[in-house]
Amino acid sequence: MYASEADDTASPSLPGASPLRHPAFVRLMAYRLLTVVSYQIVAVTVGWHVYTLTGDPWKLGLLGLAEVLPFFCVAPFAGYLVDHLPKRRLGVIACLGLAITPLLLIPVAAGWLFADAADSGPRLVLIYGAIVFTGMVRAFLGPVYNTLFACVLPRDQFARASSVGAVVFQGALVLGPVIGTGAIWLAKHLGGYGEGSVGPNAWSYALGAIAALAATVAIATLRTTEPALSHERTPIFASIGEGLRFVFRTPVMLGAMALDMFAVLFGGAVSLAPAFSKDILNAGEMGLGLLRSAPATGAVLVGLWLARKPIQQHAGRFLLGSVAGFGLCIIGFGLSETLWLSVLLMLLSGMFDGVSVVLRSTIMQLATPDHMRGRVSSINSIFISSSNELGAFYAGSMARLLGLAHAVVLGGCVTLGVVALTALKAPTLRRLNLNDLQ
């Protein structure tokens, strides 16, 4: 099953050849798709579950905090382990761990646990505890993907394959919320559940568990030759420090990571989608599905284009401009009170974010040495998760202080300020051409 098996990877291919011709790359994309679909199904369901129980947007923000804190603690060690242990074995373990969270939450949503509790406290404790575990497991998913990415493809296909990977990733961000909210809606209307019932959530959690188990099969059957494991082990903290020093001494990589982190930290509005859908747009769970999937739909459209027409020249300018466009869309979303306009703005925000995702991923793959891909990927994951999960906590806290709309508009304005500051302080990133990293 692992490194001793036949190798599905291929030798360097003709320029312009599709990376999808590599069987191992296709299986890696299946792993990527299914893990993200599973996570997104659970994320959208947990958000709806918690908001149905509490009606408090701040509790939505606490979900982000519950996930990001254990992620921060585990991610540096996850990168070290991925660099020093068989990648696919760690991927299999991580996928099985990803299935545990929805399996834990099914009995809570179905009413088999705490059904007689006088308040929602015990249920919330278990929900937040399951999310803490998810944060620990997710620390391994990205490093496993990024290290295997470099194993299954020749270097000359990295830019095109990064676009394909972004399309798969964003496609999963579309499918996950649609599947999750669709399952809740169907179970609610076919099962005769009353308004405010959380019982239908159990069906959505079950689908999340199935997707995680399918990802386990995909990664277990992927065949490629992994880099030989060194018998000389650097002390773990020294090894983690080596990865950190590399990132902080590579201005282009550090600038791209920091730009994304601060932009999404202050401009993230998706975590408040349950509250917007229910209280401002009056669109219910189906409106939530549209809002959660619209950004990824936009990113898929951009990713498909970039897979055929990858950006090489003026990559830094495109990166800065895309993040600025993202901030403008977030401001518009905060001001909108119409479902179709809100969905359109989320779609456009995803298109701008899609450009950023592809460029940042390509920069990381081209600039990172093979022997530290796991550690650098973990550091990148810390930047990304800090922007998403801490952004969710920030958004929930600001919504409690300022109200939903004001919190989102303020975040979009701060995002524009981050872009201006980055353009001023990071001239290397501003002038970047990807050809310089080849």
Side-chain angles (χ1 to χ4, degrees), residues 25-59:
F25 181 73
V26 173
R27 284 187 172 84
L28 183 63
M29 291 300 102
Y31 160 81
R32 180 72 156 168
L33 176 73
L34 290 165
T35 53
V36 178
V37 163
S38 174
Y39 172 76
Q40 286 296 314
I41 289 174
V42 174
V44 73
T45 307
V46 164
W48 189 254
H49 194 170
V50 168
Y51 198 70
T52 301
L53 288 172
T54 67
D56 187 351
W58 190 62
K59 298 293 176 61

PDB file of all heavy atoms in Angstrom, residues 25-59:
ATOM      1  N   PHE A  25      -1.814  11.578  -9.150  1.00  0.00           N
ATOM      2  CA  PHE A  25      -2.336  12.932  -8.954  1.00  0.00           C
ATOM      3  C   PHE A  25      -3.863  12.914  -8.871  1.00  0.00           C
ATOM      4  O   PHE A  25      -4.456  13.647  -8.069  1.00  0.00           O
ATOM      5  CB  PHE A  25      -1.875  13.843 -10.090  1.00  0.00           C
ATOM      6  CG  PHE A  25      -2.347  15.266  -9.969  1.00  0.00           C
ATOM      7  CD1 PHE A  25      -1.796  16.107  -9.024  1.00  0.00           C
ATOM      8  CD2 PHE A  25      -3.347  15.755 -10.804  1.00  0.00           C
ATOM      9  CE1 PHE A  25      -2.234  17.429  -8.898  1.00  0.00           C
ATOM     10  CE2 PHE A  25      -3.786  17.059 -10.687  1.00  0.00           C
ATOM     11  CZ  PHE A  25      -3.226  17.897  -9.734  1.00  0.00           C
ATOM     12  N   VAL A  26      -4.499  12.075  -9.677  1.00  0.00           N
ATOM     13  CA  VAL A  26      -5.961  11.975  -9.636  1.00  0.00           C
ATOM     14  C   VAL A  26      -6.422  11.482  -8.262  1.00  0.00           C
ATOM     15  O   VAL A  26      -7.382  12.009  -7.684  1.00  0.00           O
ATOM     16  CB  VAL A  26      -6.469  11.027 -10.750  1.00  0.00           C
ATOM     17  CG1 VAL A  26      -7.971  10.776 -10.601  1.00  0.00           C
ATOM     18  CG2 VAL A  26      -6.171  11.615 -12.123  1.00  0.00           C
ATOM     19  N   ARG A  27      -5.724  10.481  -7.723  1.00  0.00           N
ATOM     20  CA  ARG A  27      -6.094   9.989  -6.390  1.00  0.00           C
ATOM     21  C   ARG A  27      -5.832  11.051  -5.322  1.00  0.00           C
ATOM     22  O   ARG A  27      -6.588  11.171  -4.357  1.00  0.00           O
ATOM     23  CB  ARG A  27      -5.321   8.712  -6.074  1.00  0.00           C
ATOM     24  CG  ARG A  27      -5.860   7.491  -6.809  1.00  0.00           C
ATOM     25  CD  ARG A  27      -5.165   6.213  -6.323  1.00  0.00           C
ATOM     26  NE  ARG A  27      -5.809   5.033  -6.876  1.00  0.00           N
ATOM     27  CZ  ARG A  27      -5.554   4.518  -8.071  1.00  0.00           C
ATOM     28  NH1 ARG A  27      -4.657   5.098  -8.848  1.00  0.00           N
ATOM     29  NH2 ARG A  27      -6.178   3.436  -8.487  1.00  0.00           N
ATOM     30  N   LEU A  28      -4.757  11.804  -5.498  1.00  0.00           N
ATOM     31  CA  LEU A  28      -4.484  12.880  -4.552  1.00  0.00           C
ATOM     32  C   LEU A  28      -5.588  13.930  -4.599  1.00  0.00           C
ATOM     33  O   LEU A  28      -5.994  14.468  -3.563  1.00  0.00           O
ATOM     34  CB  LEU A  28      -3.129  13.523  -4.869  1.00  0.00           C
ATOM     35  CG  LEU A  28      -2.658  14.620  -3.912  1.00  0.00           C
ATOM     36  CD1 LEU A  28      -2.457  14.061  -2.509  1.00  0.00           C
ATOM     37  CD2 LEU A  28      -1.369  15.265  -4.414  1.00  0.00           C
ATOM     38  N   MET A  29      -6.103  14.227  -5.796  1.00  0.00           N
ATOM     39  CA  MET A  29      -7.206  15.166  -5.916  1.00  0.00           C
ATOM     40  C   MET A  29      -8.477  14.619  -5.263  1.00  0.00           C
ATOM     41  O   MET A  29      -9.263  15.370  -4.671  1.00  0.00           O
ATOM     42  CB  MET A  29      -7.472  15.493  -7.386  1.00  0.00           C
ATOM     43  CG  MET A  29      -6.376  16.323  -8.072  1.00  0.00           C
ATOM     44  SD  MET A  29      -6.091  17.947  -7.283  1.00  0.00           S
ATOM     45  CE  MET A  29      -4.598  17.590  -6.345  1.00  0.00           C
ATOM     46  N   ALA A  30      -8.692  13.293  -5.362  1.00  0.00           N
ATOM     47  CA  ALA A  30      -9.850  12.687  -4.698  1.00  0.00           C
ATOM     48  C   ALA A  30      -9.734  12.839  -3.183  1.00  0.00           C
ATOM     49  O   ALA A  30     -10.711  13.160  -2.495  1.00  0.00           O
ATOM     50  CB  ALA A  30      -9.962  11.212  -5.088  1.00  0.00           C
ATOM     51  N   TYR A  31      -8.525  12.617  -2.667  1.00  0.00           N
ATOM     52  CA  TYR A  31      -8.276  12.829  -1.236  1.00  0.00           C
ATOM     53  C   TYR A  31      -8.559  14.271  -0.851  1.00  0.00           C
ATOM     54  O   TYR A  31      -9.237  14.551   0.156  1.00  0.00           O
ATOM     55  CB  TYR A  31      -6.826  12.464  -0.931  1.00  0.00           C
ATOM     56  CG  TYR A  31      -6.250  13.048   0.335  1.00  0.00           C
ATOM     57  CD1 TYR A  31      -6.498  12.471   1.573  1.00  0.00           C
ATOM     58  CD2 TYR A  31      -5.432  14.185   0.285  1.00  0.00           C
ATOM     59  CE1 TYR A  31      -5.952  13.008   2.730  1.00  0.00           C
ATOM     60  CE2 TYR A  31      -4.876  14.721   1.437  1.00  0.00           C
ATOM     61  CZ  TYR A  31      -5.140  14.131   2.661  1.00  0.00           C
ATOM     62  OH  TYR A  31      -4.602  14.671   3.810  1.00  0.00           O
ATOM     63  N   ARG A  32      -8.079  15.206  -1.657  1.00  0.00           N
ATOM     64  CA  ARG A  32      -8.281  16.632  -1.386  1.00  0.00           C
ATOM     65  C   ARG A  32      -9.773  16.973  -1.393  1.00  0.00           C
ATOM     66  O   ARG A  32     -10.290  17.640  -0.495  1.00  0.00           O
ATOM     67  CB  ARG A  32      -7.550  17.438  -2.467  1.00  0.00           C
ATOM     68  CG  ARG A  32      -7.661  18.943  -2.344  1.00  0.00           C
ATOM     69  CD  ARG A  32      -6.848  19.461  -1.206  1.00  0.00           C
ATOM     70  NE  ARG A  32      -6.483  20.861  -1.389  1.00  0.00           N
ATOM     71  CZ  ARG A  32      -5.963  21.602  -0.439  1.00  0.00           C
ATOM     72  NH1 ARG A  32      -5.751  21.094   0.750  1.00  0.00           N
ATOM     73  NH2 ARG A  32      -5.638  22.861  -0.660  1.00  0.00           N
ATOM     74  N   LEU A  33     -10.470  16.513  -2.431  1.00  0.00           N
ATOM     75  CA  LEU A  33     -11.897  16.797  -2.575  1.00  0.00           C
ATOM     76  C   LEU A  33     -12.696  16.256  -1.394  1.00  0.00           C
ATOM     77  O   LEU A  33     -13.493  16.974  -0.773  1.00  0.00           O
ATOM     78  CB  LEU A  33     -12.410  16.196  -3.881  1.00  0.00           C
ATOM     79  CG  LEU A  33     -13.916  16.319  -4.139  1.00  0.00           C
ATOM     80  CD1 LEU A  33     -14.279  17.752  -4.494  1.00  0.00           C
ATOM     81  CD2 LEU A  33     -14.353  15.377  -5.255  1.00  0.00           C
ATOM     82  N   LEU A  34     -12.477  14.998  -1.055  1.00  0.00           N
ATOM     83  CA  LEU A  34     -13.313  14.338  -0.050  1.00  0.00           C
ATOM     84  C   LEU A  34     -13.043  14.853   1.357  1.00  0.00           C
ATOM     85  O   LEU A  34     -13.977  14.984   2.160  1.00  0.00           O
ATOM     86  CB  LEU A  34     -13.094  12.828  -0.116  1.00  0.00           C
ATOM     87  CG  LEU A  34     -13.655  12.162  -1.382  1.00  0.00           C
ATOM     88  CD1 LEU A  34     -13.081  10.762  -1.548  1.00  0.00           C
ATOM     89  CD2 LEU A  34     -15.175  12.123  -1.336  1.00  0.00           C
ATOM     90  N   THR A  35     -11.772  15.172   1.680  1.00  0.00           N
ATOM     91  CA  THR A  35     -11.504  15.712   3.011  1.00  0.00           C
ATOM     92  C   THR A  35     -12.142  17.086   3.187  1.00  0.00           C
ATOM     93  O   THR A  35     -12.721  17.388   4.234  1.00  0.00           O
ATOM     94  CB  THR A  35      -9.992  15.797   3.286  1.00  0.00           C
ATOM     95  OG1 THR A  35      -9.345  16.509   2.227  1.00  0.00           O
ATOM     96  CG2 THR A  35      -9.381  14.423   3.428  1.00  0.00           C
ATOM     97  N   VAL A  36     -12.043  17.920   2.148  1.00  0.00           N
ATOM     98  CA  VAL A  36     -12.634  19.265   2.262  1.00  0.00           C
ATOM     99  C   VAL A  36     -14.152  19.192   2.266  1.00  0.00           C
ATOM    100  O   VAL A  36     -14.819  19.924   3.007  1.00  0.00           O
ATOM    101  CB  VAL A  36     -12.123  20.170   1.127  1.00  0.00           C
ATOM    102  CG1 VAL A  36     -12.764  21.552   1.209  1.00  0.00           C
ATOM    103  CG2 VAL A  36     -10.604  20.310   1.189  1.00  0.00           C
ATOM    104  N   VAL A  37     -14.747  18.308   1.447  1.00  0.00           N
ATOM    105  CA  VAL A  37     -16.196  18.133   1.457  1.00  0.00           C
ATOM    106  C   VAL A  37     -16.663  17.701   2.845  1.00  0.00           C
ATOM    107  O   VAL A  37     -17.634  18.238   3.398  1.00  0.00           O
ATOM    108  CB  VAL A  37     -16.637  17.111   0.393  1.00  0.00           C
ATOM    109  CG1 VAL A  37     -18.062  16.607   0.663  1.00  0.00           C
ATOM    110  CG2 VAL A  37     -16.586  17.739  -0.993  1.00  0.00           C
ATOM    111  N   SER A  38     -15.963  16.716   3.427  1.00  0.00           N
ATOM    112  CA  SER A  38     -16.335  16.260   4.766  1.00  0.00           C
ATOM    113  C   SER A  38     -16.264  17.394   5.782  1.00  0.00           C
ATOM    114  O   SER A  38     -17.203  17.618   6.560  1.00  0.00           O
ATOM    115  CB  SER A  38     -15.399  15.117   5.195  1.00  0.00           C
ATOM    116  OG  SER A  38     -15.640  14.749   6.537  1.00  0.00           O
ATOM    117  N   TYR A  39     -15.145  18.124   5.768  1.00  0.00           N
ATOM    118  CA  TYR A  39     -14.988  19.227   6.718  1.00  0.00           C
ATOM    119  C   TYR A  39     -16.059  20.295   6.527  1.00  0.00           C
ATOM    120  O   TYR A  39     -16.631  20.805   7.493  1.00  0.00           O
ATOM    121  CB  TYR A  39     -13.596  19.838   6.577  1.00  0.00           C
ATOM    122  CG  TYR A  39     -13.433  21.095   7.381  1.00  0.00           C
ATOM    123  CD1 TYR A  39     -13.271  21.034   8.759  1.00  0.00           C
ATOM    124  CD2 TYR A  39     -13.480  22.342   6.767  1.00  0.00           C
ATOM    125  CE1 TYR A  39     -13.155  22.188   9.512  1.00  0.00           C
ATOM    126  CE2 TYR A  39     -13.358  23.501   7.516  1.00  0.00           C
ATOM    127  CZ  TYR A  39     -13.195  23.420   8.883  1.00  0.00           C
ATOM    128  OH  TYR A  39     -13.094  24.566   9.622  1.00  0.00           O
ATOM    129  N   GLN A  40     -16.363  20.628   5.269  1.00  0.00           N
ATOM    130  CA  GLN A  40     -17.343  21.675   5.007  1.00  0.00           C
ATOM    131  C   GLN A  40     -18.763  21.244   5.379  1.00  0.00           C
ATOM    132  O   GLN A  40     -19.550  22.052   5.875  1.00  0.00           O
ATOM    133  CB  GLN A  40     -17.291  22.074   3.528  1.00  0.00           C
ATOM    134  CG  GLN A  40     -16.078  22.896   3.155  1.00  0.00           C
ATOM    135  CD  GLN A  40     -16.059  24.235   3.866  1.00  0.00           C
ATOM    136  OE1 GLN A  40     -17.077  24.932   3.927  1.00  0.00           O
ATOM    137  NE2 GLN A  40     -14.914  24.598   4.412  1.00  0.00           N
ATOM    138  N   ILE A  41     -19.100  19.985   5.139  1.00  0.00           N
ATOM    139  CA  ILE A  41     -20.411  19.491   5.564  1.00  0.00           C
ATOM    140  C   ILE A  41     -20.558  19.662   7.071  1.00  0.00           C
ATOM    141  O   ILE A  41     -21.579  20.162   7.572  1.00  0.00           O
ATOM    142  CB  ILE A  41     -20.595  18.018   5.168  1.00  0.00           C
ATOM    143  CG1 ILE A  41     -20.768  17.876   3.651  1.00  0.00           C
ATOM    144  CG2 ILE A  41     -21.813  17.412   5.880  1.00  0.00           C
ATOM    145  CD1 ILE A  41     -20.818  16.439   3.170  1.00  0.00           C
ATOM    146  N   VAL A  42     -19.537  19.244   7.791  1.00  0.00           N
ATOM    147  CA  VAL A  42     -19.592  19.345   9.250  1.00  0.00           C
ATOM    148  C   VAL A  42     -19.592  20.804   9.697  1.00  0.00           C
ATOM    149  O   VAL A  42     -20.347  21.199  10.599  1.00  0.00           O
ATOM    150  CB  VAL A  42     -18.419  18.577   9.881  1.00  0.00           C
ATOM    151  CG1 VAL A  42     -18.383  18.796  11.396  1.00  0.00           C
ATOM    152  CG2 VAL A  42     -18.536  17.091   9.568  1.00  0.00           C
ATOM    153  N   ALA A  43     -18.784  21.655   9.049  1.00  0.00           N
ATOM    154  CA  ALA A  43     -18.699  23.063   9.457  1.00  0.00           C
ATOM    155  C   ALA A  43     -20.036  23.776   9.286  1.00  0.00           C
ATOM    156  O   ALA A  43     -20.486  24.500  10.187  1.00  0.00           O
ATOM    157  CB  ALA A  43     -17.612  23.769   8.653  1.00  0.00           C
ATOM    158  N   VAL A  44     -20.685  23.595   8.130  1.00  0.00           N
ATOM    159  CA  VAL A  44     -21.945  24.292   7.898  1.00  0.00           C
ATOM    160  C   VAL A  44     -23.041  23.733   8.805  1.00  0.00           C
ATOM    161  O   VAL A  44     -23.905  24.482   9.285  1.00  0.00           O
ATOM    162  CB  VAL A  44     -22.352  24.208   6.400  1.00  0.00           C
ATOM    163  CG1 VAL A  44     -22.828  22.819   6.015  1.00  0.00           C
ATOM    164  CG2 VAL A  44     -23.419  25.244   6.067  1.00  0.00           C
ATOM    165  N   THR A  45     -22.982  22.440   9.070  1.00  0.00           N
ATOM    166  CA  THR A  45     -23.989  21.830   9.938  1.00  0.00           C
ATOM    167  C   THR A  45     -23.807  22.260  11.383  1.00  0.00           C
ATOM    168  O   THR A  45     -24.781  22.570  12.082  1.00  0.00           O
ATOM    169  CB  THR A  45     -23.930  20.296   9.828  1.00  0.00           C
ATOM    170  OG1 THR A  45     -24.007  19.912   8.461  1.00  0.00           O
ATOM    171  CG2 THR A  45     -25.090  19.654  10.586  1.00  0.00           C
ATOM    172  N   VAL A  46     -22.568  22.297  11.845  1.00  0.00           N
ATOM    173  CA  VAL A  46     -22.305  22.733  13.217  1.00  0.00           C
ATOM    174  C   VAL A  46     -22.729  24.191  13.398  1.00  0.00           C
ATOM    175  O   VAL A  46     -23.324  24.555  14.427  1.00  0.00           O
ATOM    176  CB  VAL A  46     -20.805  22.552  13.555  1.00  0.00           C
ATOM    177  CG1 VAL A  46     -20.435  23.349  14.800  1.00  0.00           C
ATOM    178  CG2 VAL A  46     -20.495  21.083  13.774  1.00  0.00           C
ATOM    179  N   GLY A  47     -22.427  25.043  12.414  1.00  0.00           N
ATOM    180  CA  GLY A  47     -22.847  26.434  12.520  1.00  0.00           C
ATOM    181  C   GLY A  47     -24.353  26.573  12.646  1.00  0.00           C
ATOM    182  O   GLY A  47     -24.860  27.321  13.498  1.00  0.00           O
ATOM    183  N   TRP A  48     -25.085  25.851  11.788  1.00  0.00           N
ATOM    184  CA  TRP A  48     -26.558  25.900  11.857  1.00  0.00           C
ATOM    185  C   TRP A  48     -27.066  25.284  13.159  1.00  0.00           C
ATOM    186  O   TRP A  48     -27.997  25.796  13.773  1.00  0.00           O
ATOM    187  CB  TRP A  48     -27.142  25.160  10.655  1.00  0.00           C
ATOM    188  CG  TRP A  48     -28.624  25.317  10.511  1.00  0.00           C
ATOM    189  CD1 TRP A  48     -29.577  24.388  10.780  1.00  0.00           C
ATOM    190  CD2 TRP A  48     -29.333  26.483  10.078  1.00  0.00           C
ATOM    191  NE1 TRP A  48     -30.831  24.895  10.538  1.00  0.00           N
ATOM    192  CE2 TRP A  48     -30.699  26.177  10.099  1.00  0.00           C
ATOM    193  CE3 TRP A  48     -28.926  27.756   9.666  1.00  0.00           C
ATOM    194  CZ2 TRP A  48     -31.682  27.097   9.726  1.00  0.00           C
ATOM    195  CZ3 TRP A  48     -29.898  28.671   9.310  1.00  0.00           C
ATOM    196  CH2 TRP A  48     -31.257  28.342   9.332  1.00  0.00           C
ATOM    197  N   HIS A  49     -26.425  24.199  13.585  1.00  0.00           N
ATOM    198  CA  HIS A  49     -26.786  23.511  14.820  1.00  0.00           C
ATOM    199  C   HIS A  49     -26.658  24.454  16.016  1.00  0.00           C
ATOM    200  O   HIS A  49     -27.597  24.610  16.821  1.00  0.00           O
ATOM    201  CB  HIS A  49     -25.865  22.298  14.981  1.00  0.00           C
ATOM    202  CG  HIS A  49     -26.297  21.303  15.994  1.00  0.00           C
ATOM    203  ND1 HIS A  49     -25.717  20.062  16.129  1.00  0.00           N
ATOM    204  CD2 HIS A  49     -27.241  21.357  16.968  1.00  0.00           C
ATOM    205  CE1 HIS A  49     -26.295  19.408  17.114  1.00  0.00           C
ATOM    206  NE2 HIS A  49     -27.217  20.178  17.646  1.00  0.00           N
ATOM    207  N   VAL A  50     -25.497  25.108  16.127  1.00  0.00           N
ATOM    208  CA  VAL A  50     -25.238  25.989  17.266  1.00  0.00           C
ATOM    209  C   VAL A  50     -26.149  27.209  17.230  1.00  0.00           C
ATOM    210  O   VAL A  50     -26.699  27.625  18.262  1.00  0.00           O
ATOM    211  CB  VAL A  50     -23.754  26.403  17.292  1.00  0.00           C
ATOM    212  CG1 VAL A  50     -23.522  27.546  18.280  1.00  0.00           C
ATOM    213  CG2 VAL A  50     -22.882  25.211  17.640  1.00  0.00           C
ATOM    214  N   TYR A  51     -26.353  27.806  16.054  1.00  0.00           N
ATOM    215  CA  TYR A  51     -27.190  29.005  15.988  1.00  0.00           C
ATOM    216  C   TYR A  51     -28.658  28.665  16.251  1.00  0.00           C
ATOM    217  O   TYR A  51     -29.397  29.476  16.820  1.00  0.00           O
ATOM    218  CB  TYR A  51     -27.046  29.690  14.627  1.00  0.00           C
ATOM    219  CG  TYR A  51     -27.527  31.132  14.651  1.00  0.00           C
ATOM    220  CD1 TYR A  51     -26.807  32.106  15.333  1.00  0.00           C
ATOM    221  CD2 TYR A  51     -28.708  31.504  14.027  1.00  0.00           C
ATOM    222  CE1 TYR A  51     -27.238  33.420  15.383  1.00  0.00           C
ATOM    223  CE2 TYR A  51     -29.152  32.808  14.063  1.00  0.00           C
ATOM    224  CZ  TYR A  51     -28.420  33.770  14.746  1.00  0.00           C
ATOM    225  OH  TYR A  51     -28.871  35.066  14.783  1.00  0.00           O
ATOM    226  N   THR A  52     -29.086  27.464  15.846  1.00  0.00           N
ATOM    227  CA  THR A  52     -30.452  27.037  16.154  1.00  0.00           C
ATOM    228  C   THR A  52     -30.636  26.851  17.656  1.00  0.00           C
ATOM    229  O   THR A  52     -31.693  27.188  18.209  1.00  0.00           O
ATOM    230  CB  THR A  52     -30.775  25.717  15.420  1.00  0.00           C
ATOM    231  OG1 THR A  52     -30.633  25.908  14.013  1.00  0.00           O
ATOM    232  CG2 THR A  52     -32.200  25.265  15.712  1.00  0.00           C
ATOM    233  N   LEU A  53     -29.605  26.341  18.324  1.00  0.00           N
ATOM    234  CA  LEU A  53     -29.695  26.124  19.763  1.00  0.00           C
ATOM    235  C   LEU A  53     -29.621  27.418  20.561  1.00  0.00           C
ATOM    236  O   LEU A  53     -30.266  27.553  21.600  1.00  0.00           O
ATOM    237  CB  LEU A  53     -28.568  25.196  20.227  1.00  0.00           C
ATOM    238  CG  LEU A  53     -28.663  23.711  19.846  1.00  0.00           C
ATOM    239  CD1 LEU A  53     -27.373  22.988  20.226  1.00  0.00           C
ATOM    240  CD2 LEU A  53     -29.858  23.056  20.512  1.00  0.00           C
ATOM    241  N   THR A  54     -28.836  28.408  20.068  1.00  0.00           N
ATOM    242  CA  THR A  54     -28.524  29.579  20.892  1.00  0.00           C
ATOM    243  C   THR A  54     -29.046  30.902  20.334  1.00  0.00           C
ATOM    244  O   THR A  54     -29.330  31.824  21.107  1.00  0.00           O
ATOM    245  CB  THR A  54     -27.001  29.704  21.079  1.00  0.00           C
ATOM    246  OG1 THR A  54     -26.389  30.011  19.812  1.00  0.00           O
ATOM    247  CG2 THR A  54     -26.407  28.410  21.620  1.00  0.00           C
ATOM    248  N   GLY A  55     -29.092  31.056  19.006  1.00  0.00           N
ATOM    249  CA  GLY A  55     -29.453  32.333  18.404  1.00  0.00           C
ATOM    250  C   GLY A  55     -28.437  33.428  18.659  1.00  0.00           C
ATOM    251  O   GLY A  55     -28.737  34.613  18.511  1.00  0.00           O
ATOM    252  N   ASP A  56     -27.201  33.060  18.976  1.00  0.00           N
ATOM    253  CA  ASP A  56     -26.175  34.028  19.367  1.00  0.00           C
ATOM    254  C   ASP A  56     -25.012  33.984  18.375  1.00  0.00           C
ATOM    255  O   ASP A  56     -24.305  32.966  18.290  1.00  0.00           O
ATOM    256  CB  ASP A  56     -25.662  33.685  20.768  1.00  0.00           C
ATOM    257  CG  ASP A  56     -24.705  34.734  21.327  1.00  0.00           C
ATOM    258  OD1 ASP A  56     -24.298  35.638  20.572  1.00  0.00           O
ATOM    259  OD2 ASP A  56     -24.368  34.636  22.528  1.00  0.00           O
ATOM    260  N   PRO A  57     -24.767  35.062  17.617  1.00  0.00           N
ATOM    261  CA  PRO A  57     -23.647  35.044  16.666  1.00  0.00           C
ATOM    262  C   PRO A  57     -22.286  34.897  17.333  1.00  0.00           C
ATOM    263  O   PRO A  57     -21.342  34.398  16.717  1.00  0.00           O
ATOM    264  CB  PRO A  57     -23.775  36.395  15.942  1.00  0.00           C
ATOM    265  CG  PRO A  57     -24.608  37.246  16.823  1.00  0.00           C
ATOM    266  CD  PRO A  57     -25.534  36.316  17.542  1.00  0.00           C
ATOM    267  N   TRP A  58     -22.168  35.311  18.588  1.00  0.00           N
ATOM    268  CA  TRP A  58     -20.894  35.160  19.283  1.00  0.00           C
ATOM    269  C   TRP A  58     -20.545  33.687  19.474  1.00  0.00           C
ATOM    270  O   TRP A  58     -19.382  33.303  19.430  1.00  0.00           O
ATOM    271  CB  TRP A  58     -20.951  35.852  20.645  1.00  0.00           C
ATOM    272  CG  TRP A  58     -19.617  35.934  21.315  1.00  0.00           C
ATOM    273  CD1 TRP A  58     -18.503  36.579  20.861  1.00  0.00           C
ATOM    274  CD2 TRP A  58     -19.248  35.344  22.566  1.00  0.00           C
ATOM    275  NE1 TRP A  58     -17.463  36.440  21.756  1.00  0.00           N
ATOM    276  CE2 TRP A  58     -17.897  35.688  22.810  1.00  0.00           C
ATOM    277  CE3 TRP A  58     -19.940  34.578  23.500  1.00  0.00           C
ATOM    278  CZ2 TRP A  58     -17.224  35.270  23.958  1.00  0.00           C
ATOM    279  CZ3 TRP A  58     -19.257  34.167  24.642  1.00  0.00           C
ATOM    280  CH2 TRP A  58     -17.922  34.511  24.859  1.00  0.00           C
ATOM    281  N   LYS A  59     -21.576  32.843  19.658  1.00  0.00           N
ATOM    282  CA  LYS A  59     -21.330  31.397  19.783  1.00  0.00           C
ATOM    283  C   LYS A  59     -20.792  30.827  18.478  1.00  0.00           C
ATOM    284  O   LYS A  59     -20.058  29.825  18.488  1.00  0.00           O
ATOM    285  CB  LYS A  59     -22.615  30.682  20.192  1.00  0.00           C
ATOM    286  CG  LYS A  59     -23.170  31.104  21.547  1.00  0.00           C
ATOM    287  CD  LYS A  59     -22.258  30.680  22.668  1.00  0.00           C
ATOM    288  CE  LYS A  59     -22.766  31.182  24.029  1.00  0.00           C
ATOM    289  NZ  LYS A  59     -24.080  30.660  24.378  1.00  0.00           N
TER     290      LYS A  59
END
